[in-house]
Amino acid sequence: MKITPIGIWGGYPKANSATSSFLIEHEGFHCLMDCGSGVLSSLQNYLPLEKLDAVVISHYHADHIADIGSLQFSRIINFYLGKPAPALPIYGHDQDQENFDKLSYKEQTVGVAISEDDVVQIGPFEVSFCQTIHPVHCLAMRFSVGDQSMVLTADTEWRDELVDFSRGTDLLISEANLYEEHVGKAPGHMGGSEAGKLARLAGAKRLVLTHLPLHGDIEEIHGAARQNYDGPTEIAEVGKAYEIL
Ligand code: ZN
């Protein structure tokens, strides 16, 4: 499987960039993880929009869903241009019914409910979920094909259950939204040190940091992660292909 960062920022995007989102591909199947601000623009550098096969949403904060509406408009415009496509499935939890209902639009996209207990088949991927600690209901996600896997923590404070959920994964993409002086003080997010600790305790083979703050020097967050984890660690790089072979 191949994972491509589409955006790396938390909250809102820097100029000409996007909030945290990743494209995962295997055997010609393309799935987007989260679809926040700037994602639809960035994604087109790597994939024609009509080739998208599925979307999985971790939670309904704007920096994870802001571009769902634009994605739906892209489908309806193609429909009016005489290029209809099958309805695009958008997976998201239904603990927030109003936002879940917005995933479905004019038979162009259809919301599919997921929960922590589900294991769903999305194209070639077996996908499982783990509830996180965040001000709104949020699901971490694990994509597996055979014995290969990747985990995206989505947005979360430290939660012990994420260790087992991330156990042995080839690629842990962890949020690291906080500088160390804010760890434990800002609700719903982790610092680099906690991302590193998660990678170490889970035995992850590689750590990639995302959902980064726009202020300060994010290399400090990278350094904090490396203090707790000896494996390969890096800040997510938009457009870089992370291949799991
Ligand atoms: Zn959030």
Side-chain angles (χ1 to χ4, degrees), residues 114-184:
I114 50 174
S115 73
E116 182 177 41
D117 302 326
D118 290 342
V119 178
V120 295
Q121 194 72 32
I122 302 177
F125 304 107
E126 187 182 278
V127 187
S128 55
F129 306 96
C130 182
Q131 191 176 333
T132 76
I133 299 176
H134 200 55
V136 299
H137 191 77
C138 178
L139 296 172
M141 53 192 87
R142 180 175 180 128
F143 281 66
S144 302
V145 175
D147 59 359
Q148 302 175 343
S149 72
M150 65 78 53
V151 169
L152 176 67
T153 65
D155 289 10
T156 188
E157 287 178 31
W158 177 265
R159 185 174 186 234
D160 287 340
E161 285 79 355
L162 287 168
V163 175
D164 266 344
F165 184 70
S166 307
R167 185 75 65 197
T169 192
D170 296 285
L171 177 65
L172 174 63
I173 303 177
S174 178
E175 82 123 280
N177 192 236
L178 303 178
Y179 290 98
E180 290 307 299
E181 61 266 35
H182 298 130
V183 170

Side-chain angles (χ1 to χ4, degrees), residues 11 58-64 134-136 138 154-156 175 188-189 211:
S58 61
H59 67 301
Y60 301 114
H61 273 157
D63 50 342
H64 297 257
H134 200 55
V136 299
C138 178
D155 289 10
T156 188
E175 82 123 280
H189 292 289
H211 206 281

Side-chain angles (χ1 to χ4, degrees), residues 142 147-149 166-172 198-200 202-208 229-233 244-245:
R142 180 175 180 128
D147 59 359
Q148 302 175 343
S149 72
S166 307
R167 185 75 65 197
T169 192
D170 296 285
L171 177 65
L172 174 63
L198 178 59
R200 175 168 49 84
K205 297 190 179 79
R206 186 174 195 177
L207 173 62
V208 169
Y229 175 63
D230 289 336
T233 306
I244 300 171
L245 304 168

Side-chain angles (χ1 to χ4, degrees), residues 55 68 71-73 75 86-90 101-111:
V55 180
I68 289 287
L71 175 62
Q72 290 167 333
F73 278 6
R75 311 288 289 195
L88 177 72
I90 305 180
D101 288 347
K102 289 180 186 169
L103 301 181
S104 297
Y105 176 74
K106 295 183 185 279
E107 299 178 355
Q108 300 303 311
T109 64
V110 57

